[in-house]
Amino acid sequence: MSVSDWLLFLLVRSLSLASLPGSIPFSSLQVQPQPDAKMCDQTFLAITFGPCDSCGLNKPLMNIYLKNEPINYCSLCVELMACQGLATGETIHTLKAESESLKTKLEEERAKLHDVELHQVAEKVEALGQFVMKTRRTLKGHGNKVLCMDWCRDKRRIVSSSQDGKVIVWDAYTTNKEHAVTMPCTWVMACAYAPSGCAVACGGLDNKCSVYPLSLDKNENLSAKKKSVAMHTNYLSSCSFTNSDMQILTSSGDGTCALWDVESGQLLQSFHGHSADVLSLNLAPSETGNTFVSGGCDKKANVWDMRSGQNVQSFETHESDINSVKYYPSGDAFATGSDDATCRLYDLRADREVAIYSKESIIFGASSVDFSLSGRLLFAGYNDYTINVWDVLKGTRVAILFGHENRVSTVRVSPDGTAFCSGSWDNTLRSHSQVGCSSGKWWRWRLNGS
Amino acid sequence: MSTTNNIAQARKLVEQLRIEAGIEQFSPFIRHDNRWQRMSTTNNIAQARKLVEQLRIEAGIERIKVSKAAADLMSYCEQHARSDPLLVGVPTSENPFKDKKPCIIL
């Protein structure tokens, strides 16, 4: 080879290695300041530009987390680091082959235990009688779409948030508004009531979760006492207090969930594993321990261990975004509502989907699901303005509720189970409860006759 | 003439090196409703290793039969059905959400 050829070869070689990040269109690069240690970010999703921590060159960086410590490496150094840990003989191909074989093995294991369907086992359970639900209260006052709501543990108060940035605390029995806060952003997609009833948390397009302590003094300006707790790099889709007022779990459009300490704003644990926006999360009922489930736009529902940050189980049978996840009251299963117009029940101990709640006539996505207290009923709000009530065990629809004039965005059952409240894009919230059910008589018969 | 040959060779070489280095190809964001979804082929080693680790963990968990799990769900339902107000209904006198009737002053 001539000298010029050799030089060209070297040039090409260096260009090819340096062009590893060149496949990303430059329009997607953002110049950002050094990420704050308190921020929670998706691995490989947000790309910043700056000096690499290991090689020192100015390159597009990938923000990754190692044992919860953020490091900024350029993509070449990430590859080198990954290669270092490989055992001898492992290449990209062996790893791919192993992942494929593990996936098929997982499917086989799951299929082996699939001996019967839930509705077959439930055939011996008595069918529910005719259901009549009535709208008891209509809460009017929001100026725009209601996006989220939560009940207080005193079974009486409700906090709701809407697109116009207002967060309102209502008394559900009297329909009075007790507090109102105006957030500095629109589309407040998440709100939650603290277990003590003394604070509410909310967030949305501002990428933050803010906690407002509620005071008894009605004239007090709540915005003055606001505390910013969580910081994500994309919109906040859902937030929930853990069993105390001191910790908040949030999920975000940046694909991560995170656990924060309210007092200090410190990030306690981050959960990486979704490959698209996380839309919803739900904590396990307290008896069963420190896990939570999250559902996202990557059609996956993941179960996480809060202490280690590990993804313990993953379910991917939906055909579209999962909008809502909710644990069964016993904590052994959870239900999901999705844009593919179905709701599904997944059992954690059997590690598979055990029921699908769908009908050919339902073509609009389910935006929100919740269980009744015993877990027999599943309430699901759909984008076709209705709420369908499903019999969880038999898989049949028990009732349809009409009344909203736009999409139902959120459905929640009260803590004592006497009513459930639905929020909708028609700017109202409605609370519904039972009028009278012939199955009530059936239960009395069972008590007498058994 | 020799320069064009070299450029052609150089291009081929770049392609070859790219394949060998296993560059991750990012495809553009796909818009879905008002949310963005990223699709990327897992070509690089770091992601493949993460995936294998995750699958190893998931393959190792203990599972029970669906019949047992379903039976447990059913028994939970039956145990708690009596105390479920949305299932059995509450007497109107106790229902905090009953319709308000206007007071009549006699």
Side-chain angles (χ1 to χ4, degrees):
Chain A
M1 249 164 122
S2 72
V3 173
S4 54
D5 281 339
W6 179 247
L7 283 172
L8 189 64
F9 172 82
L10 281 178
L11 181 66
V12 155
R13 184 101 210 185
S14 64
L15 272 177
S16 68
L17 289 178
S19 70
L20 273 170
S23 51
I24 306 161
F26 272 85
S27 54
S28 71
L29 293 177
Q30 310 149 39
V31 180
Q32 278 183 2
Q34 202 58 16
D36 191 356
K38 286 192 224 159
M39 276 175 70
C40 186
D41 197 354
Q42 161 73 317
T43 309
F44 303 127
L45 200 62
I47 298 175
T48 58
F49 192 85
C52 167
D53 280 349
S54 76
C55 64
L57 302 167
N58 263 356
K59 278 184 174 180
L61 302 174
M62 299 181 141
N63 315 102
I64 63 175
Y65 276 74
L66 277 184
K67 298 187 178 59
N68 276 342
E69 288 297 315
I71 61 174
N72 299 319
Y73 278 10
C74 63
S75 47
L76 181 58
C77 296
V78 167
E79 290 301 301
L80 289 175
M81 187 175 61
C83 289
Q84 275 162 14
L86 281 180
T88 51
E90 271 188 359
T91 64
I92 185 91
H93 301 292
T94 59
L95 284 174
K96 269 195 164 166
E98 189 177 352
S99 69
E100 290 304 316
S101 74
L102 279 173
K103 275 187 196 157
T104 43
K105 182 176 162 213
L106 207 59
E107 284 310 312
E108 278 169 19
E109 290 285 320
R110 282 176 171 170
K112 261 193 247 171
L113 298 165
H114 187 201
D115 47 354
V116 76
E117 296 280 347
L118 175 62
H119 60 84
Q120 289 167 332
V121 175
E123 260 159 30
K124 41 187 173 151
V125 178
E126 290 283 336
L128 296 171
Q130 196 58 23
F131 249 71
V132 186
M133 291 252 171
K134 210 170 152 198
T135 302
R136 299 290 181 179
R137 301 280 188 274
T138 304
L139 304 175
K140 294 192 195 174
H142 275 294
N144 214 322
K145 312 177 170 72
V146 174
L147 299 175
C148 183
M149 62 144 297
D150 192 17
W151 287 88
C152 179
R153 284 199 190 173
D154 68 359
K155 310 155 206 156
R156 184 170 174 149
R157 288 188 178 76
I158 292 179
V159 62
S160 63
S161 65
S162 81
Q163 188 202 332
D164 61 359
K166 288 229 167 32
V167 175
I168 300 181
V169 178
W170 314 77
D171 178 338
Y173 295 174
T174 60
T175 76
N176 290 337
K177 299 184 201 32
E178 299 202 340
H179 300 94
V181 183
T182 306
M183 294 273 289
C185 68
T186 56
W187 285 92
V188 187
M189 290 176 250
C191 62
Y193 226 118
S196 64
C198 297
V200 292
C202 44
L205 284 186
D206 57 351
N207 302 357
K208 296 196 280 222
C209 184
S210 315
V211 176
Y212 292 88
L214 298 174
S215 69
L216 293 171
D217 178 7
K218 301 284 167 71
N219 296 329
E220 181 150 5
N221 182 12
L222 289 178
S223 310
K225 292 246 187 91
K226 165 175 133 166
K227 205 173 178 13
S228 273
V229 174
M231 290 233 281
H232 281 276
T233 51
N234 210 332
Y235 65 91
L236 197 85
S237 53
S238 176
C239 65
S240 171
F241 281 88
T242 59
N243 280 334
S244 74
D245 275 19
M246 290 292 103
Q247 293 182 349
I248 282 194
L249 194 57
T250 58
S251 69
S252 165
D254 64 15
T256 63
C257 304
L259 181 66
W260 308 83
D261 176 71
V262 174
E263 200 53 50
S264 60
Q266 182 89 7
L267 172 65
L268 298 172
Q269 183 67 264
S270 64
F271 306 92
H272 301 258
H274 279 284
S275 48
D277 305 17
V278 184
L279 293 180
S280 167
L281 59 82
N282 186 233
L283 278 144
S286 43
E287 306 92 41
T288 47
N290 293 329
T291 59
F292 73 95
V293 61
S294 67
C297 289
D298 53 357
K299 311 176 198 165
K300 289 208 282 202
N302 290 340
V303 180
W304 307 85
D305 175 30
M306 286 213 291
R307 273 177 285 223
S308 62
Q310 180 67 42
N311 175 8
V312 291
Q313 279 172 287
S314 180
F315 302 90
E316 192 171 356
T317 58
H318 269 291
E319 291 153 22
S320 185
D321 305 358
I322 296 180
N323 290 321
S324 171
V325 291
K326 202 82 207 315
Y327 262 99
Y328 191 79
S330 69
D332 288 331
F334 66 92
T336 56
S338 157
D339 274 346
D340 62 4
T342 65
C343 300
R344 293 175 202 232
L345 185 71
Y346 297 89
D347 190 292
L348 294 174
R349 295 179 305 158
D351 191 35
R352 60 173 298 120
E353 170 192 300
V354 291
I356 306 184
Y357 308 104
S358 67
K359 258 183 144 44
E360 288 211 1
S361 51
I362 302 178
I363 53 172
F364 284 84
S367 59
S368 179
V369 294
D370 202 354
F371 282 102
S372 70
L373 219 58
S374 64
R376 184 71 195 269
L377 300 173
L378 180 70
F379 298 94
Y382 288 78
N383 293 341
D384 61 1
Y385 315 175
T386 63
I387 300 172
N388 287 328
V389 186
W390 299 89
D391 179 338
V392 169
L393 300 177
K394 291 193 181 286
T396 55
R397 181 171 62 185
V398 182
I400 319 180
L401 298 170
F402 300 96
H404 277 295
E405 289 148 23
N406 207 324
R407 288 196 192 189
V408 178
S409 54
T410 171
V411 171
R412 296 276 198 132
V413 174
S414 73
D416 60 351
T418 48
F420 73 94
C421 186
S422 57
S424 155
W425 282 17
D426 65 1
N427 309 357
T428 64
L429 293 120
R430 282 165 209 257
S431 60
H432 319 258
S433 73
Q434 266 279 29
V435 166
C437 171
S438 55
S439 75
K441 293 198 197 105
W442 171 74
W443 277 113
R444 269 176 246 129
W445 168 83
R446 270 209 86 185
L447 284 170
N448 295 334
S450 56
Chain B
M1 276 288 278
S2 60
T3 42
T4 45
N5 272 350
N6 286 343
I7 287 172
Q9 271 181 5
R11 280 214 186 102
K12 268 209 278 193
L13 203 57
V14 167
E15 281 311 306
Q16 181 63 31
L17 289 168
R18 277 214 171 117
I19 292 167
E20 279 174 355
I23 297 173
E24 176 170 308
Q25 304 291 329
F26 286 107
S27 31
F29 282 108
I30 293 171
R31 191 144 198 271
H32 180 77
D33 272 339
N34 53 2
R35 300 167 205 136
W36 297 87
Q37 207 170 19
R38 166 182 284 252
M39 296 216 312
S40 61
T41 51
T42 47
N43 251 350
N44 64 23
I45 294 177
Q47 285 199 348
R49 278 185 72 199
K50 250 173 91 174
L51 189 61
V52 167
E53 281 303 315
Q54 181 61 32
L55 286 171
R56 278 189 192 144
I57 291 169
E58 284 184 29
I61 61 176
E62 294 282 315
R63 286 179 202 89
I64 65 173
K65 285 192 176 225
V66 174
S67 48
K68 167 108 182 34
D72 286 346
L73 290 177
M74 267 173 50
S75 66
Y76 186 91
C77 270
E78 293 204 23
Q79 270 174 13
H80 291 84
R82 251 157 273 174
S83 49
D84 186 352
L86 283 168
L87 202 56
V88 292
V90 288
T92 323
S93 51
E94 286 169 21
N95 187 357
F97 287 100
K98 67 177 178 227
D99 295 324
K100 298 177 276 196
K101 291 203 175 88
C103 292
I104 304 171
I105 301 177
L106 297 165

